[in-house]
Amino acid sequence: MTFLPVSIGSRLEQQDYQQLLFLSRRLLAEAQALSSRIAAVNEIAIAINRSLKLDEILRVVSKQAKWLLDFEHCSVCLRDTTNGSWRIVTLFGSTVEVKFSDTTQMGVVGMSLKTGQARLIHENSTSGFLSQYQSQIIIPLECDHRVLGTINFATSAPKTYTQEDLRIGYLLGVQLSAAIRNAERFEELNRLYLELEKEKRKTEELLLNILPIDIASELKQTGAVKPVYYESASVLFTDFKNFTKLSEQLTPQELVDELDYCFSCFDQFIEAHNLEKLKTIGDSYMCVGGIPNHNKTHAIDAVLAAINIRTFMEWRKKEKAFLNQPYWDIRIGIHSGPLLAGVIGRKKFAYDVWGDTVNTASRMESSGLTGSINISLSTFELIKDFFIVESRGKVNAKNKGEIDMYIVNGIKDSLAVDPTGLLPNKEFNQLYFAIQPETDTLIEEDFIDQKTCCPNH
């Protein structure tokens, strides 16, 4: 057996020790470096998961990814939801603004999108928007077994990246994939919420077209509406004379268009005077003043609206006569008194009123003079200080016998802005608000002038 000299053996042991120490230090430094990079990935993960907006998530990655890898270019490739193509979002480096409809045009990025596999490129030889960079790392962004896109790192020098760099990139990709998917889900939920809100608004608008606001609110809250008794309200009916006969000279479409035009104008008039439209039946139009919010000026409001309706129909008839076209005359009837109001129906709701007041108002219209505003005695008592009224005396009304009837010619001269008695003046308003001081019904001269003119007139 041969023994080395003690001095030589000591030198070998010392050399092995130095190599082992150097290796340990190198491994410790690499471990510390890896630990720092993993910690940086965790910090990025925490930051990007604080947001559900894609732009903010990508902004965080663009600022902090430099702690992980050395690169000249960093980008993500994501699908454009508007047209299904792939778009490149540059996070660092020269901006790349391209869109691809086919992954085969995208070089190694397209391969990763197709296969779902990460790519480590030491010396690039493929085409695509990263072809100018020799070293590349392409990490698929995958979540729920679906490739959402890729995150791409690139630099000009060859053989820059290692397997460890690829693993770090993969860790970042996992976190970014989850954040992007969460952002997508949030956007999907947000779109769904907006669609639901849009449909809800449509439903509410339709309900408000059918029912008054207060009644609609009660119906939504309780599922039912209690009938309400009103001690005094004014019911207004309109009807066209010889409607059926003259309608035979119009096509169905012309008839519907003309009725729609007239009733749409009527809607504006009654809205301007705080009346509530109830329904139309054929060529008949019905509305009520003093419901669902009670006021003391309902009869005056109804007569003002009736004057607007009558004036509009006179204008319309002159237009038709000028064009040598047939047109209807209108009858208007108003009666004031007690009634009951409520909602009927379960599927198709209808706000309606009942009582003898309704029947009498209908007789005021059907027994009234054509082209006139025919009112009852009770309505006359409520409006006589504001309007020029003449008595017709006793008139025989169907199922009512002899009833007192009056005709409204217009606003009193001293209370009107114009000689036709169409618009109220300031003195009219002062008397009006003295009756109902708390009302928010506005009948100032300028307001009436705007609201009582139908479009195109």
Side-chain angles (χ1 to χ4, degrees):
M1 180 179 293
T2 304
F3 295 95
L4 292 172
V6 175
S7 60
I8 296 176
S10 298
R11 286 199 299 273
L12 288 174
E13 290 177 0
Q14 183 69 23
Q15 184 178 0
D16 290 342
Y17 174 76
Q18 292 294 335
Q19 290 177 347
L20 182 60
L21 182 61
F22 175 77
L23 179 61
S24 298
R25 288 175 177 173
R26 183 170 65 83
L27 291 176
L28 180 60
E30 290 177 356
Q32 289 175 339
L34 180 60
S35 178
S36 297
R37 296 172 81 183
I38 292 174
V41 171
N42 289 333
E43 289 180 6
I44 294 175
I46 293 172
I48 63 179
N49 282 298
R50 287 174 181 160
S51 176
L52 290 171
K53 294 183 178 180
L54 181 59
D55 291 344
E56 293 180 2
I57 292 170
L58 297 181
R59 194 178 301 117
V60 171
V61 174
S62 68
K63 290 181 177 179
Q64 300 191 27
K66 266 294 186 181
W67 293 97
L68 305 177
L69 292 168
D70 183 24
F71 51 78
E72 298 174 20
H73 171 89
C74 178
S75 64
V76 291
C77 176
L78 299 171
R79 187 178 291 279
D80 191 332
T81 56
T82 59
N83 54 25
S85 64
W86 295 96
R87 63 188 178 97
I88 307 301
V89 180
T90 303
L91 305 182
F92 184 87
S94 301
T95 302
V96 178
E97 296 182 356
V98 290
K99 288 188 177 182
F100 301 96
S101 57
D102 187 355
T103 56
T104 58
Q105 305 170 348
M106 303 169 68
V108 291
V109 172
M111 297 177 190
S112 288
L113 289 172
K114 187 175 182 180
T115 63
Q117 296 180 352
R119 308 279 296 183
L120 175 60
I121 308 297
H122 293 297
E123 295 185 51
N124 181 50
S125 60
T126 63
S127 60
F129 69 94
L130 296 178
S131 59
Q132 67 190 86
Y133 301 103
Q134 287 296 302
S135 295
Q136 302 174 16
I137 292 179
I138 313 299
I139 306 293
L141 302 175
E142 185 176 2
C143 190
D144 298 335
H145 307 290
R146 180 168 69 90
V147 177
L148 308 176
T150 63
I151 183 168
N152 318 301
F153 304 95
T155 190
S156 299
K159 299 180 181 180
T160 300
Y161 300 125
T162 64
Q163 287 293 331
E164 183 178 302
D165 295 326
L166 182 64
R167 285 192 288 270
I168 291 296
Y170 178 78
L171 291 177
L172 176 61
V174 170
Q175 300 296 332
L176 181 57
S177 299
I180 290 175
R181 185 63 184 123
N182 288 338
E184 285 183 348
R185 287 169 176 161
F186 176 75
E187 186 64 28
E188 290 169 1
L189 287 174
N190 193 46
R191 282 197 299 268
L192 178 60
Y193 174 77
L194 292 176
E195 289 176 3
L196 289 174
E197 281 294 308
K198 184 178 179 180
E199 292 302 316
K200 181 182 177 182
R201 284 195 298 271
K202 286 182 179 179
T203 301
E204 290 180 348
E205 288 173 359
L206 288 172
L207 190 60
L208 291 177
N209 280 337
I210 299 172
L211 304 175
I213 294 177
D214 294 344
I215 302 301
S217 298
E218 183 181 352
L219 184 64
K220 287 192 295 183
Q221 292 173 5
T222 66
V225 177
K226 295 180 180 180
V228 178
Y229 175 78
Y230 294 88
E231 291 185 359
S232 183
S234 293
V235 181
L236 183 154
F237 278 96
T238 75
D239 189 66
F240 297 132
K241 181 182 178 182
N242 296 327
F243 174 80
T244 303
K245 182 179 179 180
L246 292 177
S247 297
E248 294 174 355
Q249 303 177 41
L250 301 174
T251 67
Q253 188 62 50
E254 289 173 339
L255 177 62
V256 172
D257 289 344
E258 187 60 32
L259 280 177
D260 178 67
Y261 181 72
C262 291
F263 288 162
S264 295
C265 288
F266 292 6
D267 290 345
Q268 294 184 46
F269 302 145
I270 71 162
E271 182 180 357
H273 294 293
N274 202 31
L275 304 182
E276 187 67 40
K277 177 183 178 181
L278 292 186
K279 55 189 169 183
T280 61
I281 304 174
D283 61 315
S284 298
Y285 186 100
M286 178 184 179
C287 60
V288 183
I291 68 167
N293 299 315
H294 174 69
N295 62 63
K296 297 178 182 179
T297 58
H298 53 80
I300 302 170
D301 299 331
V303 172
L304 286 171
I307 291 174
N308 296 153
I309 291 172
R310 181 186 63 184
T311 304
F312 162 75
M313 291 301 296
E314 289 173 351
W315 291 341
R316 191 65 169 163
K317 186 176 180 180
K318 289 178 181 178
E319 280 187 339
K320 293 295 184 176
F322 179 78
L323 297 173
N324 198 27
Q325 296 177 355
Y327 205 64
W328 317 297
D329 288 306
I330 193 168
R331 288 191 303 261
I332 303 173
I334 302 173
H335 175 60
S336 303
L339 52 76
L340 189 69
V343 173
I344 57 174
R346 287 293 180 268
K347 293 184 178 180
K348 295 183 179 181
F349 301 109
Y351 185 60
D352 210 345
V353 291
W354 303 272
D356 188 64
T357 296
V358 180
N359 298 330
T360 303
S362 177
R363 297 295 176 262
M364 289 294 109
E365 175 269 309
S366 60
S367 302
L369 294 178
T370 302
S372 298
I373 302 170
N374 305 273
I375 66 173
S376 66
L377 175 61
S378 60
T379 303
F380 167 76
E381 294 294 341
L382 295 173
I383 62 96
K384 61 184 179 181
D385 294 334
F386 293 83
F387 301 94
I388 301 172
V389 183
E390 62 178 273
S391 174
R392 284 188 62 196
K394 297 287 186 178
V395 176
N396 186 38
K398 183 179 179 181
N399 298 328
K400 286 291 179 181
E402 298 287 328
I403 57 176
D404 292 306
M405 190 175 293
Y406 298 80
I407 296 175
V408 178
N409 293 322
I411 298 173
K412 287 186 174 182
D413 294 341
S414 60
L415 301 178
V417 173
D418 59 307
T420 62
L422 176 64
L423 302 177
N425 61 17
K426 292 181 179 180
E427 287 75 16
F428 185 106
N429 291 337
Q430 289 173 354
L431 291 173
Y432 179 93
F433 288 114
I435 296 174
Q436 184 80 16
E438 71 274 16
T439 185
D440 53 10
T441 303
L442 183 61
I443 50 175
E444 296 291 344
E445 297 166 25
D446 292 342
F447 179 81
I448 291 293
D449 188 46
Q450 295 173 10
K451 284 288 189 177
T452 57
C453 294
C454 197
N456 302 325
H457 290 275

